[in-house]
Amino acid sequence: MRELLKATAERASLYLETLDDRSLAPTIEAVERLKNFDVPMPEQPTDPARVLKMLDELGSAATVASAGRRYFGFVVGGVLPAALAANWLAGAWDQCAGLYTLSPVAAHLEEVALKWLLDVFGLPAEAGGGFVTGATMANFTCLAAARHAILAKSGWDVEAQGLFGAPPITVVVGEHVHVSLLKALSLLGFGCERVVRVPADPQGRMRLDLFPQITEPTIVCVQAGEVNTGAFDPATEICARAHQGGAWVHVDGAFGLWAAASPALAHLTTGLHNADSWATDAHKWLNVPYDSGIAMVRDPRHLTAAMTANAAYLVHVDKREPNLHVPEMSRRARAVEIWAALMNLGRSGLADLIERNCRYATRFAEGLSAAGWSVLNEVALNQVLVSFHDDDATRRVIAALQADGTCWCGGTVWRGSAAMRISVSSWATTEEDIERSLAAILRIAKAEAQR
Ligand SMILES: *Cc1c(COP(=O)(O)O)cnc(C)c1O
């Protein structure tokens, strides 16, 4: 065991050390070589060292170097050394984090991490929370709590009776709601098309002048960090109007909520603490390994009511029981890495990570604008949208940049036009990486413009 783990640590270290010297996307040859995995399942056992060797030799080269310093695709963080190391140790522990009895350490670290997170986000200390796979499941978990609370008010037990015959609930979302929230709505029986969509302003924020009159029973879904622009819905006003009408306000803050960790950026999150539930990701901006998200609910009773399952053998002790806060029973101990990341960074380190990424995004925007390209969003957070004249040219620049391999940016469609999307989310990115990536983008854009 020891030799195997040591050798694996060696392989993993080498992988990370060489990550920034290779192209961000795997080469065509490396992807081709994945065919070597296509063999019948062996009849006989394979030595663990050989299993690892095969995985490294075929697998490592066919990864996307998204843990590297110049990956600006989607909203993908890297992995902090402390979080990766914690992940390895927790892997060795092999804890089932569902029950306190099964893992006091996993359960305890959930409590500590949750307390720290609520504090970092400026949310009520008494809120409940659960550790899930990502913002999709965090949205799902929070909306299940909302569904419970709203229907309980009308005397309907949704966990027992389901939605058939229940009083209909209105769900209000912004025009630019994230697809994962719509998916959560459909999983919960709300239907993803049976929603009221509030038109957006040019940054993708809900327009208050077109916000509907709210009457019970309603769930209003606010977004903190639009996935293209990074814009925040006007939470103070929305919460006030929604609560006046007796609605539940849920916040999808997959990455945007983390702005609260920076004194310089916290103003973006003003009013979010007035909501009733909040979903966020840890694998994006906290830079912990996949998969990791957090669901937080102001009144923990609604969360546990929606998530409770009981059986005689599931002994519940007089402590916070992890499984009463999430959809899963057995699961890995995600809070271990979250705790390790927060412990490692401290408040100042976390603020610095968020601020640095936002500063780099601003630098990208300035450099692109100075070269004459159109930056399509107000860069207030870590997201930059840029267009290179027309849709075709923009798509060509994205493809050429991805092929070039210096850095990786994805594409999107913003208000009907093709755009390149730059998201700066990694702890490891340096100023030098930004200058090098900016130079590559400008070089490629210029070449494409001259074609
Ligand atoms: C990424 C993202 C999600 C989905 O998060 P997953 O971790 O992929 O499940 C939801 N909402 C927003 C705004 C996001 O950026």
Side-chain angles (χ1 to χ4, degrees), residues 79-91 93 105-106 108-114 116-117 120 131 258 282 285-289 292 294 332-347 349-350 353 427:
V79 59
L80 287 162
L84 177 59
N87 171 274
W88 287 356
L89 189 58
W93 291 349
V105 61
H108 196 88
L109 287 180
E110 282 198 3
E111 279 196 73
V112 175
L114 179 63
W116 290 1
L117 288 166
V120 160
F131 294 81
W258 292 93
W285 229 350
L286 185 60
N287 282 249
V288 301
S292 192
I294 308 127
R332 68 187 199 90
R334 293 188 187 90
V336 173
E337 299 136 6
I338 294 176
W339 171 84
L342 294 173
M343 184 77 194
N344 166 232
L345 291 169
R347 280 179 196 283
L350 181 58
L353 162 63
W427 71 280

Side-chain angles (χ1 to χ4, degrees), residues 134-136 178 180 223 225 227 252 254-255 281 283-284:
T136 305
H178 194 271
S180 72
Q223 189 160 249
V227 79
D252 176 1
F255 59 100
D281 265 319
H283 55 222
K284 283 179 179 164

Side-chain angles (χ1 to χ4, degrees), residues 176 201-206 222-234 252 255-256 268 377-383 414:
H176 284 274
D201 75 2
Q203 296 303 312
R205 293 178 285 242
M206 272 196 238
V222 169
Q223 189 160 249
E226 204 278 341
V227 79
N228 291 293
T229 63
F232 290 67
D233 284 333
D252 176 1
F255 59 100
L268 295 169
N377 64 321
E378 288 165 13
V379 180
L381 204 66
N382 62 334
Q383 305 288 115
W414 180 246

